[in-house]
Amino acid sequence: MNYTTQMDAAKKGIVTKEIEIVAEKERMDVNKLMELVAAGRVAIPANKKHKSISPEGVGEGLRTKINVNLGISKDCNCIDNELEKVKVALDMKAEAIMDLSCFGKTEEFRTKLINMSTAMIGTVPIYDAVGFYDRELASLTVKELLDVIEKHAKNGVDFMTIHAGINRETAAVFKRNKRLTNIVSRGGALMFAWMELNGKENPFYEHFDKVLDICEKYDVTISLGDACRPGSIADATDASQIKELMTLGELTKRAWERNVQVMIEGPGHMSLDEIQANMLLEKKLCHNAPFYVLGPLVTDVAPGYDHITSAIGGALAAASGADFLCYVTPAEHLRLPNLEDMKEGIIASKIAAHAGDIAKGIKGAREWDNAMSQARRELDWEKMFSLAMDPEKARRYREESKPEDEHTCTMCGKMCAVRNMNKVLNGENINVLRDDE
């Protein structure tokens, strides 16, 4: 039986190799997974032309996934540096990489990235359009903008951020309801500017069926972009954000009718007390489509530490229903992240995702922690390193400060509670001030 997309296959009861792989990774019954894909509650972004991919599922009942952003810009346009980041991101088991390149030889980099990546690849075509045509934004035609989407699909991109929710109606709501930080989404600002400069409707909204034609042909998952995501905690959960979210819900249904998979993008900057409600709003208004969030960053005053502000919000978001976390690095709001920034951002996001999975009761999440706790009780350092989220750093920290007693660490030495409890429970004496007999 033939099928066009993973959603089409699931609706027809066809177990694709991608569905089979994801079911095995997630320890989920394959029929249950097919039901979720058919209903749009899980997406499996896997372009037919991305041959090196190891498919992952995003959505209900699955592990929370993380995404790494990278790519070349006018100020930092070294392809080799970005490819080195790709290798490290894959080694660190990031499930997705978004190429946000906006200058120079974007297709050369994108093609190399797709060919080498086992992770799913995302892009934002509007970022690429100005550089691709080497013309100013206002002069780009509808056809040219749609052609960039098709070019990315042909290259093998698995999911694309399409800012279709910032239509003229949403833009009017934004203009009537002033914000502290206006529109901070790069793609959202570009689409808003294109509409204002041309006096026309957002082409991705007006010609959404043509976008769906492309996505259905290549099985590209649409990541419906949140142009009106809050860029400060003051703007969270405001009229613009909610108006756009309602529009994204309508577009989601249209995509599903064409068997095109959907993810919804979300905030942004948001205080802790608003996060849980926002996760509920997305699931309600967007019909339980997978939710992909940037952060949320829970305070605006920590530049240089926004991987931490993001991880705090990301953990609560994941625990409350978010399915996919976009990493944030210490360089957020300051500059293009370097390799070390990227590593810190990945670890922070992985911690947030895993903390959310424990709260959601995802299979295997708590067992990992229990295995670490047992290794700690047994003072099995090699086992602890093997279970650590960042084994290299854990091993390095221990090597940098060697204890007198190899079973302890230099924090407590022979006063180590674990060591002493093990000895007492085994009927042994505790020698804290002298060598063991």
Side-chain angles (χ1 to χ4, degrees), residues 53-199:
I53 191 171
S54 177
E56 296 283 356
V58 179
E60 185 178 312
L62 309 185
R63 288 177 297 108
T64 305
K65 307 305 186 299
I66 72 155
N67 169 71
V68 171
N69 289 337
L70 41 76
I72 51 177
S73 68
K74 187 173 183 178
D75 292 310
C76 300
N77 57 15
C78 179
I79 288 178
D80 289 341
N81 285 351
E82 295 308 293
L83 289 175
E84 179 61 26
K85 289 182 189 175
V86 172
K87 292 174 186 174
V88 173
L90 294 174
D91 286 344
M92 295 180 74
K93 297 181 171 54
E95 291 92 0
I97 296 173
M98 285 199 79
D99 173 17
L100 305 188
S101 296
C102 57
F103 177 81
K105 298 178 180 179
T106 56
E107 187 170 15
E108 177 187 338
F109 174 68
R110 186 166 58 249
T111 302
K112 287 181 178 180
L113 168 62
I114 291 166
N115 288 340
M116 71 188 288
S117 179
T118 52
M120 52 184 159
I121 300 300
T123 59
V124 189
I126 189 64
Y127 290 3
D128 191 26
V130 174
F132 181 75
Y133 292 110
D134 194 23
R135 295 210 320 273
E136 289 300 330
L137 176 70
S139 71
L140 299 180
T141 67
V142 171
K143 182 180 184 303
E144 287 171 335
L145 291 171
L146 293 172
D147 284 348
V148 173
I149 293 177
E150 182 135 30
K151 168 67 74 174
H152 285 215
K154 282 182 178 178
N155 290 153
V157 170
D158 303 298
F159 65 99
M160 293 185 208
T161 295
I162 306 294
H163 295 90
I166 179 71
N167 57 13
R168 297 194 79 174
E169 192 177 344
T170 305
V173 171
F174 161 73
K175 286 188 280 188
R176 289 197 306 269
N177 296 270
K178 298 302 180 184
R179 286 178 142 193
L180 184 60
T181 48
N182 293 318
I183 292 175
V184 301
S185 159
R186 192 190 335 177
L190 289 171
M191 290 315 307
F192 179 82
W194 189 95
M195 288 190 294
E196 291 291 298
L197 293 169
N198 288 286

Side-chain angles (χ1 to χ4, degrees), residues 335-347:
R335 60 166 168 77
L336 190 79
N338 62 26
L339 187 60
E340 288 307 309
D341 297 328
M342 186 194 75
K343 288 180 181 178
E344 289 191 51
I346 289 174
I347 291 298

Side-chain angles (χ1 to χ4, degrees), residues 4 23 87 90 138 142 146 153 159 176 179 191 194 203 229 231 245-246 288 290 307 349 368 372 391 435:
T4 55
K87 292 174 186 174
L90 294 174
V142 171
L146 293 172
F159 65 99
R176 289 197 306 269
R179 286 178 142 193
M191 290 315 307
W194 189 95
R229 72 169 180 262
L245 192 60
M246 292 167 66
N288 293 298
H307 59 312
S349 293
W368 184 8
M372 176 64 87
D435 291 338

Side-chain angles (χ1 to χ4, degrees), residues 421-435:
M421 286 301 297
N422 287 344
K423 282 181 168 291
V424 168
L425 292 174
N426 285 331
E428 300 175 34
N429 189 21
I430 298 174
N431 299 319
V432 174
L433 300 177
R434 60 189 184 281
D435 291 338

Side-chain angles (χ1 to χ4, degrees), residues 8 116 142 228 311 385:
D8 184 37
M116 71 188 288
V142 171
C228 295
F385 298 149

Side-chain angles (χ1 to χ4, degrees), residues 256-268:
W256 286 347
E257 287 169 3
R258 294 284 303 277
N259 295 316
V260 173
Q261 301 182 101
V262 173
M263 299 186 293
I264 306 295
E265 297 186 12

